Amino acid sequence: MDKNNMNTSGKKDAKEHGTSVTGSGDALDTRMADGEDASTLTTRQGHPVRNNQNIRTVGNRGPATLENYQFIEKITHFDRERVPERVVHARGAGAHGYFEAYGKVGDEPISKYTRAKLFQEAGKRTPVFVRFSTVIHGGHSPETLRDPRGFAVKFYTEDGNWDLVGNNLKIFFIRDAIKFPDMIHAFKPDPVTNIQDGERFFDFCCNSPETLHMVTFVYSPWGIPANYRQMQGSGVNTYKWVNQEGEAVLVKYHWEPKQGIKNLTQAEAEAIQAKNFNHATQDLYEAIERGDYPEWELFVQILSDDEHPELDFDPLDDTKIWPKEQIPWLPVGRMVLNKNPENYFAEVEQAAFGTGVLVDGMDFSDDKMLQGRTLSYSDTQRYRIGANYLQLPINAPKKRVGTNQRDGQMAYYVDLAPGQNPHINYEPSSLNGLKEAPRTNKEYMPHVEGKLMRASIDRTNDFKQAGETYRAFDEFERDDLILNLVNTLKTCNTHIQERMIELFTKCDEDYGRRVAEGLRNSMNSSDHGPIGSTHTGEAVKEAERKGHETDSY
């Protein structure tokens, strides 16, 4: 090593990186772009980030454009942050079953709205696999933690797989996919202490008012479902249905449990966790084993495919509920889970879902969160399981597959069609290769135009529905909501408390007043731990105090 590159402490100078070039571009390079200072957010390429709130879209409602480099760098790096566990939805349980179509949407023929074959005939059954999950914590975390629950369904249809990937709650925290890594980082454990911290959670939320509706649900008993069998499911995002004429409508999906809906208060969840932190997985498994098969009915809401200026929210905004009294729920089928996995890893852990997995008769809306998820979810699986994850039995369609995709890690068969020339792995070809399918119906061709920009949607309306949800809660739900918010906010910096009170008050005056009163009447705490939990610092001391001394061995 050149002694001229040693500093006074004898350590290697920061400007020398071994195999890399020295000098420009390292931590000691003080050059700045226009408007940049030492605290400016940049990409890994060193480009200052001038808008970290919105992806680049055609108009402020989308669709997104492919050259979103800042977003692609951010989201694809985020997708690779854990090995091999899922970054989100790591803790999961699953089961096999079937979906049975009603052949109608409400009282109308379903063909009026979609040509998707699995819906067309009354009584038609399609095999499914469902994975339930928690979102934030690791693969063996307690199933009693305050957290949304994942509700992902893989339909093995005659036209190939359809994945309906959602949550138990009908909305989400954010409306633009570029904020997803930030949100998850804020909600996951602190990168230094490895402990989830309510101050980090509310630091993000107080600077992101669109989260208020979801916060209201998550801190109420709705944030801790009693088990997987007795919780709702939702596709969360807005999709489209397309009929034989190539005409589209906007659609939302909702799963309603025939077993009823049950949630837990914080105290009830903590008592259950003291006895069994796998209770929801055990409940699902044992119910199916004894023949008590859980069942859900699938409902849809339908709107015409336009902006709907008559509504006080954007129908593509996933932080909003489509009010049932304005846009009715229409039943389209039911799902029954009747078979447990034979191997957890092979079926539940390796199950891979993606919002981009749609069959003919379905399409994407311009929902920015949906478009970001469509890249991120499948990208995660290619990284987590490998390029050939769709050859695994749990993920493979239950119909013929013929592709020109070859090789890659863990490839163990080739997608050859009967009689296909094995030397030909390209298209077009006149040497007996694969051929395109003929079009048998009218193609859906939406018209898109607008200026490329990074901008929020116009009708954000972040507070109205959160207030309506607060007022619609039963009294015990409001009480538990306030208690959980106060217990978490009292550990936060004062400016975060004040900002959250301000935002809750904008949702509902009583909402804000009760949180403010709760904080005034509580002792500020330095305890940090899982959101909604109490006395976390006391638990640390109690473990030492109550621990039984013993001799070494």
Side-chain angles (χ1 to χ4, degrees), residues 503-517:
L503 295 177
F504 290 137
T505 302
K506 288 182 178 180
C507 299
D508 182 276
E509 288 188 9
D510 181 67
Y511 194 175
R513 177 188 61 77
R514 290 186 65 180
V515 172
E517 287 179 355

PDB file of all heavy atoms in Angstrom, residues 503-517:
ATOM      1  N   LEU A 503     -53.989  16.648  12.415  1.00  0.00           N
ATOM      2  CA  LEU A 503     -54.541  15.854  11.318  1.00  0.00           C
ATOM      3  C   LEU A 503     -55.794  15.094  11.752  1.00  0.00           C
ATOM      4  O   LEU A 503     -56.782  15.028  11.002  1.00  0.00           O
ATOM      5  CB  LEU A 503     -53.483  14.881  10.799  1.00  0.00           C
ATOM      6  CG  LEU A 503     -52.248  15.503  10.144  1.00  0.00           C
ATOM      7  CD1 LEU A 503     -51.248  14.422   9.745  1.00  0.00           C
ATOM      8  CD2 LEU A 503     -52.633  16.332   8.926  1.00  0.00           C
ATOM      9  N   PHE A 504     -55.783  14.515  12.967  1.00  0.00           N
ATOM     10  CA  PHE A 504     -56.971  13.819  13.454  1.00  0.00           C
ATOM     11  C   PHE A 504     -58.148  14.782  13.590  1.00  0.00           C
ATOM     12  O   PHE A 504     -59.299  14.421  13.314  1.00  0.00           O
ATOM     13  CB  PHE A 504     -56.691  13.143  14.794  1.00  0.00           C
ATOM     14  CG  PHE A 504     -55.760  11.962  14.711  1.00  0.00           C
ATOM     15  CD1 PHE A 504     -54.744  11.782  15.655  1.00  0.00           C
ATOM     16  CD2 PHE A 504     -55.888  11.020  13.714  1.00  0.00           C
ATOM     17  CE1 PHE A 504     -53.887  10.699  15.586  1.00  0.00           C
ATOM     18  CE2 PHE A 504     -55.035   9.919  13.630  1.00  0.00           C
ATOM     19  CZ  PHE A 504     -54.031   9.761  14.574  1.00  0.00           C
ATOM     20  N   THR A 505     -57.881  16.010  14.015  1.00  0.00           N
ATOM     21  CA  THR A 505     -58.939  17.008  14.164  1.00  0.00           C
ATOM     22  C   THR A 505     -59.551  17.355  12.813  1.00  0.00           C
ATOM     23  O   THR A 505     -60.756  17.594  12.708  1.00  0.00           O
ATOM     24  CB  THR A 505     -58.381  18.264  14.845  1.00  0.00           C
ATOM     25  OG1 THR A 505     -57.830  17.907  16.114  1.00  0.00           O
ATOM     26  CG2 THR A 505     -59.473  19.312  15.049  1.00  0.00           C
ATOM     27  N   LYS A 506     -58.739  17.382  11.767  1.00  0.00           N
ATOM     28  CA  LYS A 506     -59.272  17.633  10.427  1.00  0.00           C
ATOM     29  C   LYS A 506     -60.188  16.495   9.981  1.00  0.00           C
ATOM     30  O   LYS A 506     -61.104  16.715   9.174  1.00  0.00           O
ATOM     31  CB  LYS A 506     -58.125  17.804   9.427  1.00  0.00           C
ATOM     32  CG  LYS A 506     -57.367  19.114   9.595  1.00  0.00           C
ATOM     33  CD  LYS A 506     -56.270  19.247   8.537  1.00  0.00           C
ATOM     34  CE  LYS A 506     -55.543  20.572   8.674  1.00  0.00           C
ATOM     35  NZ  LYS A 506     -54.472  20.726   7.655  1.00  0.00           N
ATOM     36  N   CYS A 507     -59.942  15.295  10.493  1.00  0.00           N
ATOM     37  CA  CYS A 507     -60.819  14.164  10.176  1.00  0.00           C
ATOM     38  C   CYS A 507     -62.135  14.278  10.933  1.00  0.00           C
ATOM     39  O   CYS A 507     -63.215  14.071  10.370  1.00  0.00           O
ATOM     40  CB  CYS A 507     -60.136  12.841  10.554  1.00  0.00           C
ATOM     41  SG  CYS A 507     -58.605  12.507   9.681  1.00  0.00           S
ATOM     42  N   ASP A 508     -62.046  14.593  12.213  1.00  0.00           N
ATOM     43  CA  ASP A 508     -63.223  14.719  13.074  1.00  0.00           C
ATOM     44  C   ASP A 508     -62.791  15.444  14.350  1.00  0.00           C
ATOM     45  O   ASP A 508     -61.786  15.069  14.962  1.00  0.00           O
ATOM     46  CB  ASP A 508     -63.781  13.334  13.415  1.00  0.00           C
ATOM     47  CG  ASP A 508     -65.035  13.399  14.258  1.00  0.00           C
ATOM     48  OD1 ASP A 508     -64.906  13.516  15.505  1.00  0.00           O
ATOM     49  OD2 ASP A 508     -66.139  13.339  13.688  1.00  0.00           O
ATOM     50  N   GLU A 509     -63.534  16.459  14.758  1.00  0.00           N
ATOM     51  CA  GLU A 509     -63.140  17.254  15.929  1.00  0.00           C
ATOM     52  C   GLU A 509     -63.055  16.393  17.185  1.00  0.00           C
ATOM     53  O   GLU A 509     -62.145  16.544  18.008  1.00  0.00           O
ATOM     54  CB  GLU A 509     -64.110  18.418  16.142  1.00  0.00           C
ATOM     55  CG  GLU A 509     -63.972  19.528  15.114  1.00  0.00           C
ATOM     56  CD  GLU A 509     -64.806  20.750  15.460  1.00  0.00           C
ATOM     57  OE1 GLU A 509     -65.348  20.796  16.592  1.00  0.00           O
ATOM     58  OE2 GLU A 509     -64.913  21.649  14.606  1.00  0.00           O
ATOM     59  N   ASP A 510     -64.014  15.490  17.367  1.00  0.00           N
ATOM     60  CA  ASP A 510     -63.997  14.609  18.543  1.00  0.00           C
ATOM     61  C   ASP A 510     -62.788  13.687  18.510  1.00  0.00           C
ATOM     62  O   ASP A 510     -62.166  13.417  19.549  1.00  0.00           O
ATOM     63  CB  ASP A 510     -65.286  13.784  18.582  1.00  0.00           C
ATOM     64  CG  ASP A 510     -65.337  12.863  19.786  1.00  0.00           C
ATOM     65  OD1 ASP A 510     -65.425  13.379  20.924  1.00  0.00           O
ATOM     66  OD2 ASP A 510     -65.279  11.628  19.602  1.00  0.00           O
ATOM     67  N   TYR A 511     -62.425  13.234  17.323  1.00  0.00           N
ATOM     68  CA  TYR A 511     -61.258  12.367  17.126  1.00  0.00           C
ATOM     69  C   TYR A 511     -59.995  13.073  17.644  1.00  0.00           C
ATOM     70  O   TYR A 511     -59.258  12.554  18.495  1.00  0.00           O
ATOM     71  CB  TYR A 511     -61.157  12.052  15.631  1.00  0.00           C
ATOM     72  CG  TYR A 511     -60.245  10.941  15.197  1.00  0.00           C
ATOM     73  CD1 TYR A 511     -60.216  10.572  13.837  1.00  0.00           C
ATOM     74  CD2 TYR A 511     -59.403  10.258  16.069  1.00  0.00           C
ATOM     75  CE1 TYR A 511     -59.385   9.556  13.381  1.00  0.00           C
ATOM     76  CE2 TYR A 511     -58.566   9.237  15.618  1.00  0.00           C
ATOM     77  CZ  TYR A 511     -58.563   8.898  14.275  1.00  0.00           C
ATOM     78  OH  TYR A 511     -57.742   7.898  13.817  1.00  0.00           O
ATOM     79  N   GLY A 512     -59.759  14.285  17.139  1.00  0.00           N
ATOM     80  CA  GLY A 512     -58.579  15.029  17.553  1.00  0.00           C
ATOM     81  C   GLY A 512     -58.602  15.388  19.024  1.00  0.00           C
ATOM     82  O   GLY A 512     -57.575  15.328  19.715  1.00  0.00           O
ATOM     83  N   ARG A 513     -59.792  15.774  19.529  1.00  0.00           N
ATOM     84  CA  ARG A 513     -59.908  16.166  20.944  1.00  0.00           C
ATOM     85  C   ARG A 513     -59.574  15.001  21.863  1.00  0.00           C
ATOM     86  O   ARG A 513     -58.843  15.171  22.854  1.00  0.00           O
ATOM     87  CB  ARG A 513     -61.334  16.669  21.222  1.00  0.00           C
ATOM     88  CG  ARG A 513     -61.593  17.030  22.685  1.00  0.00           C
ATOM     89  CD  ARG A 513     -63.058  17.341  22.927  1.00  0.00           C
ATOM     90  NE  ARG A 513     -63.926  16.193  22.627  1.00  0.00           N
ATOM     91  CZ  ARG A 513     -64.068  15.151  23.428  1.00  0.00           C
ATOM     92  NH1 ARG A 513     -63.406  15.076  24.580  1.00  0.00           N
ATOM     93  NH2 ARG A 513     -64.870  14.149  23.089  1.00  0.00           N
ATOM     94  N   ARG A 514     -60.068  13.808  21.542  1.00  0.00           N
ATOM     95  CA  ARG A 514     -59.836  12.664  22.416  1.00  0.00           C
ATOM     96  C   ARG A 514     -58.367  12.235  22.419  1.00  0.00           C
ATOM     97  O   ARG A 514     -57.826  11.851  23.460  1.00  0.00           O
ATOM     98  CB  ARG A 514     -60.727  11.495  22.007  1.00  0.00           C
ATOM     99  CG  ARG A 514     -62.204  11.728  22.296  1.00  0.00           C
ATOM    100  CD  ARG A 514     -63.037  10.486  22.020  1.00  0.00           C
ATOM    101  NE  ARG A 514     -62.697   9.377  22.922  1.00  0.00           N
ATOM    102  CZ  ARG A 514     -63.281   8.179  22.874  1.00  0.00           C
ATOM    103  NH1 ARG A 514     -64.233   7.946  21.966  1.00  0.00           N
ATOM    104  NH2 ARG A 514     -62.926   7.219  23.711  1.00  0.00           N
ATOM    105  N   VAL A 515     -57.711  12.312  21.268  1.00  0.00           N
ATOM    106  CA  VAL A 515     -56.281  11.990  21.236  1.00  0.00           C
ATOM    107  C   VAL A 515     -55.497  13.020  22.046  1.00  0.00           C
ATOM    108  O   VAL A 515     -54.602  12.672  22.831  1.00  0.00           O
ATOM    109  CB  VAL A 515     -55.762  11.921  19.785  1.00  0.00           C
ATOM    110  CG1 VAL A 515     -54.238  11.777  19.761  1.00  0.00           C
ATOM    111  CG2 VAL A 515     -56.405  10.766  19.040  1.00  0.00           C
ATOM    112  N   ALA A 516     -55.842  14.316  21.874  1.00  0.00           N
ATOM    113  CA  ALA A 516     -55.152  15.375  22.619  1.00  0.00           C
ATOM    114  C   ALA A 516     -55.344  15.197  24.119  1.00  0.00           C
ATOM    115  O   ALA A 516     -54.389  15.316  24.905  1.00  0.00           O
ATOM    116  CB  ALA A 516     -55.660  16.738  22.167  1.00  0.00           C
ATOM    117  N   GLU A 517     -56.579  14.917  24.549  1.00  0.00           N
ATOM    118  CA  GLU A 517     -56.852  14.716  25.976  1.00  0.00           C
ATOM    119  C   GLU A 517     -56.097  13.504  26.501  1.00  0.00           C
ATOM    120  O   GLU A 517     -55.546  13.529  27.610  1.00  0.00           O
ATOM    121  CB  GLU A 517     -58.358  14.547  26.206  1.00  0.00           C
ATOM    122  CG  GLU A 517     -59.154  15.824  26.065  1.00  0.00           C
ATOM    123  CD  GLU A 517     -60.645  15.591  26.283  1.00  0.00           C
ATOM    124  OE1 GLU A 517     -61.048  14.401  26.457  1.00  0.00           O
ATOM    125  OE2 GLU A 517     -61.401  16.569  26.277  1.00  0.00           O
TER     126      GLU A 517
END
